[in-house]
């Protein structure tokens, strides 16, 4: 299954994507993207061989898909269960390359991802969690019609500053009303 919207494609990860994914995620010690993706959690490099040991959890999985522009893998979408029995699902997005930031690629990718999740699962709600230092992510969520459902104040500490944890969410009926 693959979706495309205005030059942005989302799709399951393929085996031939693995080297590129490793380069984007674990090759560098201090990648630029990590400053925005939960920088308060440490990032560790990993050899390509160690990364390949995880390939069965990456290739062809439903919970991690790639974002592609012009045939180039630029990022990843994911979801995880906060509480599966109640269908509480949280999603995430990472665009690794700074040249693709603030260009609408994330909005297009998340639009397709939310649509995919609601179409493929009996979800009542989708959510995402970020931190108050990532204003781009908050703006994308708001642009997509998500509501700020929680702000947990001063629980993320990075470079001498406390930030808030931000929880955004959207109900199925809100999404369906939005796309009519």
């Amino acid at each position: 299954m693959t979706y495309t919207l205005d030059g942005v494609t989302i799709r399951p990860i393929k085996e031939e994507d693995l080297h590129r994914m490793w380069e984007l995620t674990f090759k560098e010690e201090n990648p630029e993207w990590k400053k925005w993706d939960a920088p308060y959690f440490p990032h560790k490099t990993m050899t390509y061989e160690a990364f390949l040991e995880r390939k069965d959890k990456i290739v062809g999985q439903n919970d991690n898909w790639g974002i592609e522009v012009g045939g180039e893998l630029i990022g990843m979408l994911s979801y995880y269960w906060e509480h599966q029995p109640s269908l509480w699902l949280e999603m995430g997005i990472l665009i690794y390359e700074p040249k693709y930031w603030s260009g609408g690629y994330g909005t297009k990718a998340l639009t397709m991802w939310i649509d995919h999740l609601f179409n493929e699962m009996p979800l009542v709600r989708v959510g995402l969690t970020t931190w108050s230092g990532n204003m781009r992510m908050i703006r994308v969520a708001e642009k997509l019609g998500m509501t700020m459902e929680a702000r947990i104040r001063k629980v993320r500490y990075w470079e001498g500053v406390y930030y808030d944890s931000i929880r955004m969410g959207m109900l199925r009926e809100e999404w369906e009303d939005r796309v009519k």
Side-chain angles (χ1 to χ4, degrees):
M1 197 175 298
T2 299
Y3 302 96
T4 301
L5 177 64
D6 298 331
V8 177
T9 298
I10 67 168
R11 59 170 175 74
I13 302 295
K14 303 174 192 170
E15 191 141 351
E16 54 266 28
D17 296 323
L18 291 173
H19 193 268
R20 174 78 174 142
M21 282 193 72
W22 169 76
E23 287 178 330
L24 293 169
T25 56
F26 294 109
K27 183 177 181 181
E28 290 181 44
E29 192 166 321
N30 293 306
E32 187 69 19
W33 61 264
K34 188 59 182 155
K35 292 177 184 173
W36 307 104
D37 179 51
Y40 34 82
F41 292 127
H43 175 72
K44 295 184 179 168
T45 60
M46 180 185 303
T47 66
Y48 182 56
E49 292 71 28
F51 179 74
L52 285 179
E53 291 175 15
R54 301 173 159 196
K55 81 176 188 175
D56 291 342
K57 294 180 180 182
I58 300 170
V59 174
Q61 299 301 306
N62 293 327
D63 60 346
N64 287 294
W65 278 27
I67 304 169
E68 189 179 279
V69 174
E72 177 184 7
L73 191 68
I74 67 158
M76 188 181 79
L77 296 153
S78 63
Y79 74 79
Y80 66 91
W81 294 106
E82 186 77 33
H83 186 251
Q84 191 168 2
S86 62
L87 301 176
W88 180 356
L89 179 138
E90 293 286 304
M91 62 180 176
I93 183 171
L94 267 168
I95 295 184
Y96 300 104
E97 298 269 5
K99 69 182 180 181
Y100 293 105
W101 296 348
S102 300
Y105 302 102
T107 301
K108 292 171 189 171
L110 273 176
T111 297
M112 292 182 283
W113 190 234
I114 293 169
D115 212 43
H116 169 73
L117 294 173
F118 276 135
N119 286 329
E120 296 298 317
M121 293 186 241
L123 301 172
V124 174
R125 174 196 173 276
V126 294
L128 66 82
T129 301
T130 190
W131 60 297
S132 59
N134 192 344
M135 289 307 300
R136 282 193 305 257
M137 186 70 252
I138 294 167
R139 279 194 301 274
V140 166
E142 289 171 342
K143 189 191 287 189
L144 291 172
M146 298 184 102
T147 300
M148 185 179 302
E149 298 173 333
R151 174 182 289 269
I152 301 106
R153 297 177 298 162
K154 295 189 175 186
V155 294
R156 298 299 186 198
Y157 185 76
W158 185 56
E159 293 188 337
V161 178
Y162 281 98
Y163 294 90
D164 301 342
S165 179
I166 306 293
R167 290 208 130 173
M168 310 283 293
M170 173 176 277
L171 301 176
R172 175 185 290 275
E173 57 265 26
E174 294 167 338
W175 182 253
E176 289 170 354
D177 285 346
R178 184 187 176 282
V179 296
K180 281 182 184 174

